[in-house]
Amino acid sequence: MRDIAVFSGSAHPELAAEVCAHLGVPLSPTRVSRFANDCLEVQLQANCRERDVFLIQPLVKPVQEHLVELLLMCDAARGASAGRITVVMPHYSYARSDKKDAPRISLGGRLVADLLITAGTSRVLAMTLHAPQVHGFFSVPVDHLHALRELAAHFQQYDLTRTTVVSPDLGNAKEAAAFARMIDAQVAAGAKQRFADDRVTISTVIGDVAGRDVIVLDDEIAKGSTVLELLDRLRESGPRSIRIACTHGLFAAGALKRLSQQPDVLEIVCTNTVPVPVPVEDHEEYKSKLRILSIAPALAEAVRRIHNGESVSALFDAPPSE
């Protein structure tokens, strides 16, 4: 592909390299350095002039560090006369700050979107935003992908005749319903109330899960408190089996260990939108249940379509290629 330049920040260079391998283009080098006063400096070490520039950087821990790095990458590309700057952001962590649900609270999702556009972003390619309204925070075009096709392709290896897809809350029920249609399953949802970032209560599960094979589907798993609470409610109904699936496997504060230690959880499935933190100790314990699916082919195809001026939404019209 001519006239395209792909750069990666330091958040997830392995994913960027995989995307470039599928595109058949080199991953252009990026130099990130730090002044003596702790300020970051970024240099894009390949020609950007009048080229279609793609900057790949999920906002993962340390989020603020990677955000500033991404902003500086945008500024560097703009200063180098890039023809167009597309931010490929597989995980937009600030999407969780999407509503004014308390007095004098910040809306980080909208503010960070404004910062990216001010820095020179022409277009955004995102994956499974926390809520649909976050799309509207950006005043530039946003191509919003999801990983449901990749997850569905994985689960179709099992017998799904008695399967129910369970959303932890009603807010995610629409995505769970779409996933359930893909695999011809039933859908259910938890009645959740959140008291703090890591403290939730699920009073009941709405839907049929008794004696059925359950797939718990969420957009992201951070500390895992919501999923663990949901597992307690599911056990009251007696499901036949339980599997867990999400797009963004953040697994903060030992969440992966806690979920893996649940004896009735057969499998934990996520994608590589973020680097999955698998602890070195007891690695085999996690490896036996954890499945990481690659979304690099989907991102690469979306980048190719954006570059060629083709429809990105058409990606969802056909089943994923094997």
Side-chain angles (χ1 to χ4, degrees):
M1 299 175 67
R2 298 183 60 189
D3 301 321
I4 182 173
V6 182
F7 298 89
S8 173
S10 59
H12 201 353
E14 297 83 6
L15 176 60
E18 193 177 345
V19 169
C20 287
H22 284 280
L23 285 171
V25 301
L27 178 59
S28 299
T30 305
R31 181 183 64 83
V32 180
S33 57
R34 195 178 296 269
F35 291 106
N37 64 357
D38 204 40
C39 291
L40 289 174
E41 180 184 63
V42 171
Q43 181 185 34
L44 304 179
Q45 297 183 308
N47 179 34
C48 298
R49 187 173 297 275
E50 299 305 323
R51 301 181 76 186
D52 206 358
V53 172
F54 292 85
L55 308 175
I56 302 179
Q57 179 89 318
L59 296 186
V60 295
K61 187 178 179 179
V63 174
Q64 282 61 243
E65 192 93 353
H66 289 140
L67 171 59
V68 172
E69 189 178 294
L70 178 58
L71 293 171
L72 293 173
M73 291 170 69
C74 291
D75 181 69
R78 180 177 57 182
S81 301
R84 180 175 61 180
I85 303 169
T86 301
V87 167
V88 181
M89 196 162 40
H91 179 52
Y92 183 37
S93 52
Y94 273 99
R96 293 187 65 166
S97 179
D98 64 336
K99 55 189 175 293
K100 189 174 173 61
D101 54 0
R104 298 169 298 282
I105 197 168
S106 60
L107 285 175
R110 188 184 64 189
L111 173 62
V112 173
D114 290 343
L115 289 172
L116 286 167
I117 294 160
T118 300
T121 301
S122 311
R123 192 178 196 96
V124 173
L125 175 60
M127 173 76 72
T128 311
L129 293 170
H130 184 65
Q133 65 264 26
V134 176
H135 191 142
F137 289 170
F138 294 87
S139 57
V140 295
V142 176
D143 292 300
H144 185 198
L145 306 183
H146 61 67
L148 297 185
R149 293 163 68 252
E150 286 73 19
L151 292 170
H154 171 80
F155 284 106
Q156 281 165 352
Q157 66 181 294
Y158 304 120
D159 179 6
L160 301 174
T161 53
R162 290 183 56 81
T163 298
T164 298
V165 178
V166 180
S167 168
D169 53 50
L170 298 176
N172 198 55
K174 186 175 181 180
E175 183 175 1
F179 181 66
R181 287 192 296 271
M182 285 183 171
I183 62 174
D184 195 23
Q186 293 185 21
V187 66
K192 184 178 82 171
Q193 185 176 6
R194 181 177 292 278
F195 297 97
D197 182 55
D198 60 349
R199 190 164 64 90
V200 300
T201 297
I202 298 177
S203 57
T204 188
V205 175
I206 304 166
D208 184 15
V209 297
R212 298 183 64 83
D213 300 312
V214 167
I215 301 174
V216 175
L217 179 71
D218 208 352
D219 61 329
E220 71 175 60
I221 297 177
K223 291 186 176 180
S225 53
T226 295
V227 175
L228 289 170
E229 174 77 5
L230 178 61
L231 292 179
D232 288 340
R233 298 289 79 73
L234 288 171
R235 289 170 183 132
E236 295 171 359
S237 301
R240 186 166 69 174
S241 68
I242 300 175
R243 288 180 166 86
I244 298 171
C246 69
T247 300
H248 310 300
L250 301 173
F251 301 128
L256 183 56
K257 181 176 182 179
R258 290 193 298 274
L259 293 173
S260 298
Q261 289 175 339
Q262 304 301 308
D264 50 357
V265 172
L266 301 181
E267 192 176 39
I268 302 167
V269 184
C270 66
T271 74
N272 63 342
T273 54
V274 302
V276 179
V278 180
V280 175
E281 67 276 8
D282 302 324
H283 179 72
E284 291 303 318
E285 176 187 348
Y286 304 108
K287 189 177 179 181
S288 64
K289 292 188 177 183
L290 180 64
R291 305 287 184 273
I292 303 175
L293 310 179
S294 177
I295 48 85
L299 287 176
E301 179 61 16
V303 167
R304 187 191 68 78
R305 287 170 181 255
I306 291 170
H307 178 66
N308 292 335
E310 301 173 13
S311 171
V312 174
S313 61
L315 275 172
F316 305 121
D317 295 340
S321 57
E322 295 297 331

